[in-house]
Amino acid sequence: MRQYFYSITFAALLAVAVLSGCGDRPGNYGNFAEVDSVELVRDALAAMQANYPPAKTRIALIQDTSDAFGSPLVESMREAGYAVAEYAGPAKGDKYIAIVEKPDGLAFAYVLDRIGPDELRVSLHIGTETLSRMYRVRMSGDAPQFIPQGFWTHKQGG
């Protein structure tokens, strides 16, 4: 009986540990893959344009975008016609900024992360929705090539 109790307890703790990594963790945004690619920026912008019309969409940045992906992405968004409100940092005492529609536009953040040694994922968090796409990274000489692995996924709602 005691062994059964320990097995159930261990299984429950393991399930909690595994599932805790499944939810969105506000505030963990950025270029964790440390890549810069005009190719990825163009692809991300095209996905945005297909889902959010530039002249009708206001964007409010909720993260610092000074990395090698963020700066060209924000510049490209502005050139495409998006109104982009700068990131002002979290309000005093706020630990995280929620992904919601803000008065100055849809909250916007991105994550570039490595899934494996030769795979990465781009996720764009826009309002309460997320656009994501996987890429295979292949070296071509000194420059990496980013090969899309399927279509953009579109997760709606919070």
Side-chain angles (χ1 to χ4, degrees), residues 39-40 133-138 145-150:
E39 195 177 335
L40 291 176
R133 191 173 205 182
M134 296 285 298
Y135 297 86
R136 174 138 343 253
V137 182
R138 182 176 25 182
Q145 286 183 318
F146 301 97
I147 302 151
Q149 301 296 296

Side-chain angles (χ1 to χ4, degrees), residues 92-133:
K92 188 173 183 169
D94 283 353
K95 187 172 181 183
Y96 300 115
I97 300 172
I99 299 178
V100 294
E101 186 167 339
K102 300 172 72 96
D104 48 352
L106 293 173
F108 178 84
Y110 59 86
V111 177
L112 267 78
D113 54 349
R114 288 206 178 268
I115 304 303
D118 61 345
E119 293 178 321
L120 65 88
R121 173 180 54 197
V122 175
S123 298
L124 307 174
H125 303 279
I126 307 165
T128 59
E129 300 179 1
T130 302
L131 301 172
S132 292
R133 191 173 205 182

